[in-house]
Amino acid sequence: MDLLEYQGKRFLADYGVPVPKGGVAESAQEAVAWAEGIGYPVAVKAQVHIGGRGKAGGIVVAANPTEVRSAAERILGMDIRGQVVKCLLIEKGSEIEAEYYAGFTLDRSAGGYLGMLSAQGGVDIEAVAETAPEAISRILVNPVEGLTEATIASWVRFARIDDRATHPTIRILSDLYAAFVHGDADLIEINPLVLTSAGEVLALDAKVTLDSNSVFRHPNYQDFDATQPRDDREAAAHSRGLQYVGLDGTVGVIANGAGLAMSTVDVIAQAGGAAANFLDIGGAAEVETMASALEVINNDPRVKVIFINIFGGIVQGDVVARGILAALDRVKLRSPIVLRLDGTNAAKGRAMIGNRLSERLVMADSMPDGAMRAVEIAGRT
Amino acid sequence: MSIWLDENSRVVYQGLTGRAGRFHALRNRAYGTQVVAGTNPSKAGTSVEGIPVYATVGDAVEATGADVSCLFVPAPYVKGAVMEAVTGGVSLVVVITEGVPAKDEAWLVAKLERDHPEVRMIGPNCPGIISPQKANVGITAPDIARPGGPVGLVSRSGTLTYQALYELKQSDIGVTTCVGIGGDPFPGTSFKDCLAAFEADPDTRAVMMIGEIGGSAEEEAAVFIAEHMTKPVVAYIAGITAPPGKKMGHAGAIVSGGKGTAAAKIEALSAAGVRVGESPSEAGRLMVEVVSEPGG
């Protein structure tokens, strides 16, 4: 799960990483109240999950209450590439002498953790990574060996950041690593990590992605669920416990298993259509799950046909059939269904559905056949 | 022959007394797998349908000679349970459990590599391993796997494994061993490990590989294939149309920062001489061609 900047900074602050003084505001009035308490100048920052908000006008430095109010009024409700700004971070302005970049991420191919540090942080870090990759000093951490203070010290020297910033940065990287490991983060990026004219080193931004599988160790992470970026369809599916990703096409997809669901989306595209969603009903294709899945897809106005692609493994074909029949009785569907059913007890399942087949419920012989039929129906309506 | 698992494998189930553990252990036994033990520290001395339960894997190994462990324990206990299996003396640990934190997986992979290189972990978050007609360890539906070879199968996805086995069976093609390596970011066994084992297995004449978006395991497999494989490989990669930044169900299946796309994987595999199908069915057809070729 992705954290908003203010959530990420609180997360880092819990592990000892210094961040500017700040507060979260949902109205211009709150923004001014925070600014008065913090002292001017302040940065008024849009809280959204995507980068490039500064360039989109989502960050403004304000020198007095009037400027804070007008900035807050303008940024709240602003649409930044599809995300509407619902809250602001009001933060003490810093006089910046230098901007660095620091981060940790999972390195899947190396089987460990990748630490990155650069003396050339700031908005152009991606260009730096492209054109001067040597300006980013990387270390690979073995998860069993961990990262020692001595290794961090030589890493920081190697990155050639300002002498004045060296010691605080060693401290920060040590805390950042603790946050990454003990906080079960998949990714932490601080860009920029700044050296202020007062000689402090601070995390001026924070991008944090936490491992949703680690919630059992960190029950408070459940709180972040409410601020995950989801469209209405995704929110509805999520509240029903379904693995759903919204897409742009007209063929609704229900499949069992993430791989098969992904593959179904692909095969629909190969048949000349486009899927409206990815939906994995998982191993428990019970009546309830199937009905919920059909409801979510039925509420998506762009859907013209629903392709249910089931390969029974643990999931049994007759249980799937019962689920579909029960769901049909419960949900009034706008769109016809194309069903492909193979694997465990598929014959039994097909037989159960046999006398309900119609133009609104079509049986396909195989996955490609099902995709073709679904795309054809979507094209007709 | 088969890789890593055969009729002589003796399997202990960690989590045998739980609902899923019991169901699949019994189903695996009905298939012919030597299911010799289960573990549960608070139920030692009892049994499940004749399968004796021990307090630890070490006890089970000592009493029954188990050499494989299959884990159905809940995600928070996987790290400890794998280490219990490893120190208990088994040489293969199959972790079915999903939802294991990436930090636990990364630690386990690094720990086994450094201190227990003789032990293989498959998974977590995988359907397990099946050597048709010999043994099945995990949750793969056994009747869709046709025995006898000549194809070795390795897959990152559960249901696509079934789909692939089914495509092969429809074409009367058998399988030596089918390994589900799982869809998580730090799998204990990689495509590369499986490819190397299939290359060395005399009864495997060709390999089917099912990949998906995310990470670079398929690209690394392509390098291995180009350098070390003499046997033909057919592949299918799921997620060609997956949008960037969205996790497609599996923790590992995500295109981020332009990396991990299906297109890059297909290109790397094709360049290594792998025949890549656009769908599971097409991959099945390609495999029919491969095994019917002279010397194939």
Side-chain angles (χ1 to χ4, degrees), chain A residues 61-269:
Chain A
V61 176
N64 55 53
T66 316
E67 285 183 20
V68 171
R69 177 171 298 279
S70 79
E73 279 169 354
R74 196 163 50 76
I75 298 173
L76 279 169
M78 182 189 266
D79 186 317
I80 300 180
R81 285 191 280 146
Q83 277 190 41
V84 176
V85 181
K86 290 181 185 148
C87 68
L88 305 167
L89 175 61
I90 310 302
E91 200 169 69
K92 182 148 183 57
S94 308
E95 271 187 53
I96 299 167
E97 293 231 329
E99 292 188 320
Y100 314 129
Y101 167 92
F104 284 100
T105 183
L106 302 175
D107 188 331
R108 295 163 63 162
S109 57
Y113 312 140
L114 180 67
M116 289 166 292
L117 181 63
S118 176
Q120 300 181 33
V123 286
D124 295 325
I125 188 69
E126 279 167 27
V128 171
E130 284 274 310
T131 57
E134 70 287 349
I136 299 174
S137 167
R138 294 173 164 83
I139 55 162
L140 182 67
V141 185
N142 180 299
V144 176
E145 316 277 341
L147 185 57
T148 63
E149 198 90 15
T151 308
I152 296 176
S154 61
W155 178 30
V156 170
R157 274 194 300 277
F158 196 76
R160 296 176 180 282
I161 63 168
D162 304 71
D163 286 345
R164 280 201 297 155
T166 301
H167 282 290
T169 303
I170 291 171
R171 181 78 257 138
I172 287 171
L173 287 173
S174 172
D175 293 337
L176 200 60
Y177 182 72
F180 179 72
V181 174
H182 302 302
D184 280 294
D186 287 348
L187 169 78
I188 300 180
E189 273 186 309
I190 302 180
N191 185 37
L193 178 72
V194 299
L195 170 64
T196 67
S197 51
E200 283 179 299
V201 179
L202 293 174
L204 217 58
D205 196 0
K207 187 178 175 193
V208 177
T209 304
L210 300 175
D211 180 355
S212 48
N213 285 345
S214 75
V215 174
F216 69 82
R217 283 202 275 258
H218 316 278
N220 59 313
Y221 289 3
Q222 277 163 9
D223 300 344
F224 301 128
D225 193 61
T227 49
Q228 292 309 297
R230 296 188 179 102
D231 67 21
D232 293 347
R233 300 177 295 167
E234 287 171 344
H238 182 74
S239 71
R240 290 170 168 86
L242 298 168
Q243 295 268 3
Y244 177 102
V245 176
L247 303 169
D248 298 328
T250 56
V251 181
V253 170
I254 297 176
N256 65 320
L260 190 64
M262 226 186 308
S263 183
T264 307
V265 171
D266 289 348
V267 173
I268 288 167

Side-chain angles (χ1 to χ4, degrees), chain B residues 31-285:
Chain B
Y31 187 67
T33 312
Q34 292 198 51
V35 177
V36 296
T39 61
N40 182 329
S42 58
K43 291 183 180 166
T46 64
S47 67
V48 171
E49 306 265 331
I51 306 166
V53 175
Y54 299 89
T56 66
V57 175
D59 291 352
V61 168
E62 200 175 309
T64 66
D67 56 358
V68 177
S69 179
C70 183
L71 271 77
F72 281 96
V73 303
Y77 308 109
V78 162
K79 186 174 164 184
V82 169
M83 288 318 294
E84 182 192 319
V86 169
T87 53
V90 300
S91 56
L92 176 64
V93 184
V94 181
V95 188
I96 308 302
T97 311
E98 65 178 319
V100 179
K103 291 289 170 351
D104 291 3
E105 291 182 5
W107 187 90
L108 281 171
V109 170
K111 179 74 176 170
L112 264 56
E113 190 178 293
R114 191 188 72 175
D115 297 339
H116 306 277
E118 72 290 353
V119 179
R120 167 166 308 286
M121 176 169 76
I122 297 177
N125 189 16
C126 77
I129 171 170
I130 176 169
S131 295
Q133 224 167 30
K134 295 173 179 168
N136 184 15
V137 173
I139 61 176
T140 305
D143 51 323
I144 48 170
R146 184 185 158 98
V151 172
L153 202 152
V154 53
S155 169
R156 254 172 88 183
S157 143
T159 31
L160 280 180
T161 309
Y162 309 155
Q163 179 72 37
L165 284 170
Y166 176 76
E167 299 283 355
L168 294 176
K169 193 181 181 187
Q170 295 281 88
S171 305
D172 296 328
I173 297 174
V175 168
T176 49
T177 297
C178 168
V179 189
I181 58 174
D184 280 356
F186 293 96
T189 290
S190 65
F191 280 124
K192 230 163 52 179
D193 298 331
C194 296
L195 290 164
F198 284 132
E199 175 72 12
D201 173 37
D203 289 343
T204 300
R205 288 195 285 123
V207 180
M208 169 93 95
M209 171 181 154
I210 311 289
E212 64 188 23
I213 54 163
S216 56
E218 290 80 3
E219 287 87 334
E220 286 150 28
V223 172
F224 180 86
I225 291 165
E227 288 174 3
H228 301 289
M229 290 286 289
T230 59
K231 297 175 182 177
V233 180
V234 170
Y236 168 68
I237 306 293
I240 297 168
T241 51
K246 296 279 190 183
K247 216 170 258 186
M248 302 303 265
H250 290 154
I254 181 166
V255 173
S256 57
K259 288 192 188 137
T261 64
K265 292 171 189 299
I266 291 169
E267 193 186 315
L269 288 165
S270 303
V274 174
R275 282 176 250 199
V276 185
E278 277 213 336
S279 66
S281 316
E282 197 193 329
R285 281 197 296 278

